[in-house]
Structure formats: structure tokens, C-alpha cells
Short mmCIF file of all heavy atoms in Angstrom, two decimals:
data_model
loop_
_atom_site.label_atom_id
_atom_site.label_comp_id
_atom_site.label_asym_id
_atom_site.label_seq_id
_atom_site.Cartn_x
_atom_site.Cartn_y
_atom_site.Cartn_z
N THR A 22 10.20 62.37 -81.13
CA THR A 22 9.90 63.09 -82.34
C THR A 22 8.88 64.18 -82.01
O THR A 22 7.82 63.88 -81.46
CB THR A 22 9.36 62.18 -83.44
OG1 THR A 22 10.33 61.15 -83.69
CG2 THR A 22 9.10 62.93 -84.72
N ASN A 23 9.23 65.42 -82.32
CA ASN A 23 8.28 66.51 -82.17
C ASN A 23 8.19 67.24 -83.49
O ASN A 23 8.70 66.76 -84.50
CB ASN A 23 8.68 67.44 -81.02
CG ASN A 23 10.01 68.15 -81.23
OD1 ASN A 23 10.48 68.34 -82.36
ND2 ASN A 23 10.65 68.56 -80.14
N MET A 24 7.55 68.40 -83.52
CA MET A 24 7.33 69.08 -84.80
C MET A 24 8.63 69.57 -85.45
O MET A 24 8.65 69.93 -86.62
CB MET A 24 6.38 70.26 -84.61
CG MET A 24 6.90 71.38 -83.74
SD MET A 24 5.64 72.61 -83.57
CE MET A 24 5.83 72.96 -81.84
N TYR A 25 9.73 69.58 -84.73
CA TYR A 25 11.01 70.04 -85.25
C TYR A 25 11.90 68.87 -85.70
O TYR A 25 12.98 69.07 -86.23
CB TYR A 25 11.75 70.88 -84.23
CG TYR A 25 10.92 72.06 -83.77
CD1 TYR A 25 10.41 72.08 -82.49
CD2 TYR A 25 10.66 73.12 -84.62
CE1 TYR A 25 9.64 73.14 -82.06
CE2 TYR A 25 9.88 74.19 -84.19
CZ TYR A 25 9.37 74.20 -82.92
OH TYR A 25 8.62 75.25 -82.49
N GLY A 26 11.48 67.67 -85.44
CA GLY A 26 12.28 66.49 -85.80
C GLY A 26 12.50 65.62 -84.57
O GLY A 26 11.69 65.62 -83.66
N GLN A 27 13.61 64.94 -84.54
CA GLN A 27 13.91 64.05 -83.43
C GLN A 27 14.81 64.75 -82.43
O GLN A 27 15.76 65.46 -82.81
CB GLN A 27 14.58 62.77 -83.90
CG GLN A 27 13.60 61.83 -84.56
CD GLN A 27 14.11 60.42 -84.63
OE1 GLN A 27 15.29 60.17 -84.69
NE2 GLN A 27 13.19 59.47 -84.59
N VAL A 28 14.50 64.56 -81.16
CA VAL A 28 15.26 65.19 -80.07
C VAL A 28 15.69 64.08 -79.11
O VAL A 28 14.87 63.21 -78.76
CB VAL A 28 14.35 66.18 -79.30
CG1 VAL A 28 15.11 66.80 -78.15
CG2 VAL A 28 13.82 67.25 -80.24
N LYS A 29 16.94 64.11 -78.72
CA LYS A 29 17.39 63.15 -77.71
C LYS A 29 16.95 63.68 -76.35
O LYS A 29 17.20 64.84 -76.00
CB LYS A 29 18.91 63.00 -77.76
CG LYS A 29 19.42 61.96 -76.80
CD LYS A 29 20.91 61.76 -76.92
CE LYS A 29 21.35 60.69 -75.93
NZ LYS A 29 22.76 60.41 -76.05
N TYR A 30 16.27 62.84 -75.58
CA TYR A 30 15.76 63.24 -74.29
C TYR A 30 15.97 62.12 -73.29
O TYR A 30 15.61 60.98 -73.55
CB TYR A 30 14.26 63.56 -74.38
CG TYR A 30 13.68 64.06 -73.08
CD1 TYR A 30 13.89 65.36 -72.66
CD2 TYR A 30 12.93 63.23 -72.26
CE1 TYR A 30 13.36 65.82 -71.48
CE2 TYR A 30 12.40 63.67 -71.07
CZ TYR A 30 12.62 64.99 -70.67
OH TYR A 30 12.10 65.43 -69.49
N ASN A 31 16.60 62.44 -72.18
CA ASN A 31 16.76 61.48 -71.09
C ASN A 31 15.68 61.71 -70.08
O ASN A 31 15.59 62.79 -69.50
CB ASN A 31 18.14 61.64 -70.45
CG ASN A 31 19.26 61.27 -71.37
OD1 ASN A 31 19.18 60.26 -72.06
ND2 ASN A 31 20.30 62.09 -71.43
N LEU A 32 14.85 60.72 -69.87
CA LEU A 32 13.79 60.79 -68.88
C LEU A 32 14.35 60.32 -67.55
O LEU A 32 14.52 59.13 -67.34
CB LEU A 32 12.60 59.92 -69.30
CG LEU A 32 11.42 59.88 -68.32
CD1 LEU A 32 10.82 61.25 -68.13
CD2 LEU A 32 10.36 58.91 -68.84
N TYR A 33 14.66 61.27 -66.70
CA TYR A 33 15.16 60.95 -65.37
C TYR A 33 14.02 60.91 -64.38
O TYR A 33 13.22 61.86 -64.31
CB TYR A 33 16.21 61.97 -64.91
CG TYR A 33 17.46 61.95 -65.73
CD1 TYR A 33 17.73 62.98 -66.64
CD2 TYR A 33 18.37 60.93 -65.61
CE1 TYR A 33 18.87 62.97 -67.41
CE2 TYR A 33 19.53 60.91 -66.37
CZ TYR A 33 19.78 61.93 -67.28
OH TYR A 33 20.92 61.91 -68.03
N ILE A 34 13.92 59.84 -63.66
CA ILE A 34 12.90 59.74 -62.62
C ILE A 34 13.58 59.36 -61.31
O ILE A 34 14.68 58.81 -61.31
CB ILE A 34 11.78 58.75 -62.99
CG1 ILE A 34 12.35 57.36 -63.29
CG2 ILE A 34 10.96 59.25 -64.17
CD1 ILE A 34 11.29 56.32 -63.51
N ARG A 35 12.94 59.69 -60.26
CA ARG A 35 13.52 59.47 -58.93
C ARG A 35 13.05 58.17 -58.26
O ARG A 35 13.57 57.77 -57.26
CB ARG A 35 13.21 60.67 -58.06
CG ARG A 35 13.98 61.88 -58.49
CD ARG A 35 13.41 63.16 -57.92
NE ARG A 35 14.26 64.31 -58.24
CZ ARG A 35 14.37 64.86 -59.43
NH1 ARG A 35 13.68 64.38 -60.44
NH2 ARG A 35 15.14 65.91 -59.64
N ASN A 36 12.06 57.55 -58.85
CA ASN A 36 11.50 56.34 -58.26
C ASN A 36 11.65 55.16 -59.22
O ASN A 36 11.54 55.34 -60.44
CB ASN A 36 10.01 56.56 -57.95
CG ASN A 36 9.82 57.63 -56.92
OD1 ASN A 36 10.00 57.40 -55.74
ND2 ASN A 36 9.47 58.85 -57.35
N ASP A 37 11.86 53.99 -58.68
CA ASP A 37 11.98 52.79 -59.47
C ASP A 37 10.62 52.49 -60.12
O ASP A 37 9.64 52.26 -59.42
CB ASP A 37 12.40 51.62 -58.58
CG ASP A 37 12.61 50.31 -59.31
OD1 ASP A 37 12.13 50.17 -60.47
OD2 ASP A 37 13.21 49.42 -58.72
N PRO A 38 10.53 52.51 -61.46
CA PRO A 38 9.24 52.30 -62.12
C PRO A 38 8.59 50.97 -61.78
O PRO A 38 7.37 50.84 -61.83
CB PRO A 38 9.55 52.39 -63.61
CG PRO A 38 11.00 52.57 -63.75
CD PRO A 38 11.62 52.72 -62.40
N ARG A 39 9.38 49.97 -61.44
CA ARG A 39 8.81 48.64 -61.09
C ARG A 39 8.06 48.70 -59.75
O ARG A 39 7.24 47.86 -59.47
CB ARG A 39 9.91 47.61 -61.01
CG ARG A 39 10.60 47.36 -62.36
CD ARG A 39 11.85 46.57 -62.20
NE ARG A 39 12.78 47.34 -61.40
CZ ARG A 39 14.05 47.05 -61.18
NH1 ARG A 39 14.56 45.95 -61.67
NH2 ARG A 39 14.82 47.83 -60.47
N LYS A 40 8.34 49.73 -58.97
CA LYS A 40 7.69 49.87 -57.65
C LYS A 40 6.53 50.84 -57.67
O LYS A 40 5.86 51.03 -56.67
CB LYS A 40 8.73 50.31 -56.61
CG LYS A 40 9.78 49.23 -56.38
CD LYS A 40 10.76 49.67 -55.33
CE LYS A 40 11.83 48.57 -55.13
NZ LYS A 40 12.84 48.97 -54.16
N LEU A 41 6.28 51.47 -58.79
CA LEU A 41 5.17 52.41 -58.91
C LEU A 41 3.94 51.62 -59.33
O LEU A 41 3.63 51.48 -60.51
CB LEU A 41 5.52 53.50 -59.94
CG LEU A 41 6.69 54.39 -59.60
CD1 LEU A 41 7.00 55.36 -60.74
CD2 LEU A 41 6.46 55.15 -58.29
N LYS A 42 3.24 51.10 -58.36
CA LYS A 42 2.16 50.13 -58.60
C LYS A 42 0.77 50.75 -58.78
O LYS A 42 -0.20 50.04 -58.94
CB LYS A 42 2.10 49.12 -57.46
CG LYS A 42 3.38 48.32 -57.30
CD LYS A 42 3.62 47.42 -58.44
CE LYS A 42 4.85 46.55 -58.21
NZ LYS A 42 5.24 45.79 -59.37
N MET A 43 0.67 52.07 -58.71
CA MET A 43 -0.68 52.67 -58.81
C MET A 43 -1.28 52.42 -60.20
O MET A 43 -0.57 52.42 -61.20
CB MET A 43 -0.67 54.15 -58.45
CG MET A 43 0.19 55.04 -59.30
SD MET A 43 1.94 55.15 -58.87
CE MET A 43 2.01 55.61 -57.21
N PRO A 44 -2.59 52.20 -60.26
CA PRO A 44 -3.25 51.90 -61.53
C PRO A 44 -3.38 53.14 -62.41
O PRO A 44 -3.51 54.26 -61.94
CB PRO A 44 -4.61 51.35 -61.12
CG PRO A 44 -4.87 51.94 -59.79
CD PRO A 44 -3.52 52.11 -59.13
N VAL A 45 -3.40 52.89 -63.73
CA VAL A 45 -3.61 53.93 -64.72
C VAL A 45 -4.82 53.50 -65.55
O VAL A 45 -4.77 52.49 -66.24
CB VAL A 45 -2.37 54.14 -65.61
CG1 VAL A 45 -2.67 55.18 -66.70
CG2 VAL A 45 -1.17 54.57 -64.78
N TYR A 46 -5.88 54.28 -65.45
CA TYR A 46 -7.09 54.03 -66.21
C TYR A 46 -7.24 55.13 -67.24
O TYR A 46 -8.08 56.02 -67.11
CB TYR A 46 -8.32 54.00 -65.30
CG TYR A 46 -8.21 53.03 -64.14
CD1 TYR A 46 -8.01 53.48 -62.84
CD2 TYR A 46 -8.29 51.65 -64.36
CE1 TYR A 46 -7.89 52.59 -61.79
CE2 TYR A 46 -8.19 50.77 -63.31
CZ TYR A 46 -7.99 51.23 -62.01
OH TYR A 46 -7.89 50.35 -60.96
N ALA A 47 -6.37 55.12 -68.25
CA ALA A 47 -6.37 56.19 -69.23
C ALA A 47 -5.74 55.74 -70.54
O ALA A 47 -4.76 55.00 -70.54
CB ALA A 47 -5.59 57.41 -68.68
N ASN A 48 -6.33 56.20 -71.61
CA ASN A 48 -5.75 56.07 -72.94
C ASN A 48 -5.22 57.46 -73.28
O ASN A 48 -5.99 58.31 -73.73
CB ASN A 48 -6.79 55.60 -73.95
CG ASN A 48 -6.21 55.40 -75.32
OD1 ASN A 48 -5.00 55.38 -75.51
ND2 ASN A 48 -7.08 55.31 -76.32
N ILE A 49 -3.95 57.71 -73.05
CA ILE A 49 -3.41 59.06 -73.08
C ILE A 49 -3.16 59.54 -74.51
O ILE A 49 -2.39 58.95 -75.24
CB ILE A 49 -2.11 59.13 -72.26
CG1 ILE A 49 -2.36 58.63 -70.82
CG2 ILE A 49 -1.57 60.57 -72.23
CD1 ILE A 49 -1.11 58.43 -69.99
N SER A 50 -3.85 60.60 -74.85
CA SER A 50 -3.71 61.25 -76.15
C SER A 50 -3.91 62.76 -75.89
O SER A 50 -5.04 63.17 -75.58
CB SER A 50 -4.75 60.73 -77.13
OG SER A 50 -4.60 61.38 -78.36
N LEU A 51 -2.84 63.53 -75.99
CA LEU A 51 -2.89 64.92 -75.59
C LEU A 51 -3.14 65.85 -76.77
O LEU A 51 -2.68 65.58 -77.89
CB LEU A 51 -1.57 65.31 -74.93
CG LEU A 51 -1.09 64.42 -73.78
CD1 LEU A 51 0.26 64.89 -73.26
CD2 LEU A 51 -2.12 64.37 -72.66
N LYS A 52 -3.85 66.93 -76.53
CA LYS A 52 -4.03 67.98 -77.53
C LYS A 52 -2.81 68.88 -77.49
O LYS A 52 -1.97 68.78 -76.59
CB LYS A 52 -5.30 68.76 -77.22
CG LYS A 52 -6.56 67.89 -77.30
CD LYS A 52 -7.75 68.70 -77.65
CE LYS A 52 -8.97 67.84 -77.81
NZ LYS A 52 -9.13 67.33 -79.16
N LYS A 53 -2.66 69.76 -78.44
CA LYS A 53 -1.48 70.63 -78.57
C LYS A 53 -1.27 71.51 -77.34
O LYS A 53 -0.16 71.72 -76.89
CB LYS A 53 -1.63 71.50 -79.83
CG LYS A 53 -0.46 72.37 -80.11
CD LYS A 53 0.69 71.56 -80.65
CE LYS A 53 1.85 72.46 -81.01
NZ LYS A 53 3.11 71.81 -80.84
N ASP A 54 -2.35 72.06 -76.79
CA ASP A 54 -2.28 72.93 -75.62
C ASP A 54 -2.61 72.11 -74.37
O ASP A 54 -3.70 71.52 -74.28
CB ASP A 54 -3.23 74.12 -75.75
CG ASP A 54 -2.85 75.03 -76.89
OD1 ASP A 54 -1.65 75.33 -77.05
OD2 ASP A 54 -3.76 75.41 -77.68
N VAL A 55 -1.67 72.10 -73.43
CA VAL A 55 -1.83 71.30 -72.22
C VAL A 55 -1.71 72.22 -70.99
O VAL A 55 -0.74 72.97 -70.86
CB VAL A 55 -0.75 70.19 -72.14
CG1 VAL A 55 -0.89 69.41 -70.83
CG2 VAL A 55 -0.84 69.28 -73.34
N PHE A 56 -2.69 72.13 -70.12
CA PHE A 56 -2.64 72.83 -68.83
C PHE A 56 -2.31 71.80 -67.74
O PHE A 56 -2.94 70.74 -67.70
CB PHE A 56 -3.97 73.48 -68.50
CG PHE A 56 -4.25 74.71 -69.31
CD1 PHE A 56 -4.80 74.62 -70.58
CD2 PHE A 56 -3.95 75.97 -68.81
CE1 PHE A 56 -5.05 75.75 -71.35
CE2 PHE A 56 -4.17 77.10 -69.56
CZ PHE A 56 -4.73 76.99 -70.83
N ILE A 57 -1.33 72.11 -66.93
CA ILE A 57 -1.05 71.30 -65.74
C ILE A 57 -1.64 72.05 -64.57
O ILE A 57 -1.15 73.12 -64.19
CB ILE A 57 0.48 71.07 -65.54
CG1 ILE A 57 1.09 70.40 -66.77
CG2 ILE A 57 0.71 70.23 -64.29
CD1 ILE A 57 2.61 70.29 -66.71
N ALA A 58 -2.75 71.54 -64.06
CA ALA A 58 -3.51 72.22 -63.00
C ALA A 58 -3.25 71.56 -61.66
O ALA A 58 -3.30 70.32 -61.55
CB ALA A 58 -4.99 72.19 -63.33
#
């Protein structure tokens, strides 16, 4: 769901998520403007 309604989106990833063991120390909440640096 985005500001225009619901969108069908397929999240394709190349790695098995069960094998991605790195830790995540974050409570992810993004602002409207996002920079990928």
C-alpha cells in the first residue's frame, strides 16, 4: 500500500533469506525522502 493505493509487487531476491544470518539492529521507519548513499 502506497499513497496511490495497493500495488502488486514481487520482491525478487537472489539469496535464500534463511541463509542471510547477519544481525539487524534497527527499528526501520523511513521518512518520505530517502537517500541511498
Side-chain angles (χ1 to χ4, degrees):
T22 303
N23 63 24
M24 66 182 138
Y25 304 109
Q27 286 199 329
V28 179
K29 184 176 180 177
Y30 183 78
N31 293 316
L32 178 62
Y33 294 106
I34 57 174
R35 289 163 174 74
N36 296 282
D37 182 344
R39 295 168 297 188
K40 294 182 181 177
L41 298 175
K42 300 293 184 188
M43 60 276 305
V45 176
Y46 305 107
N48 181 14
I49 305 170
S50 179
L51 308 178
K52 298 207 176 272
K53 183 74 177 150
D54 296 315
V55 178
F56 286 84
I57 302 174

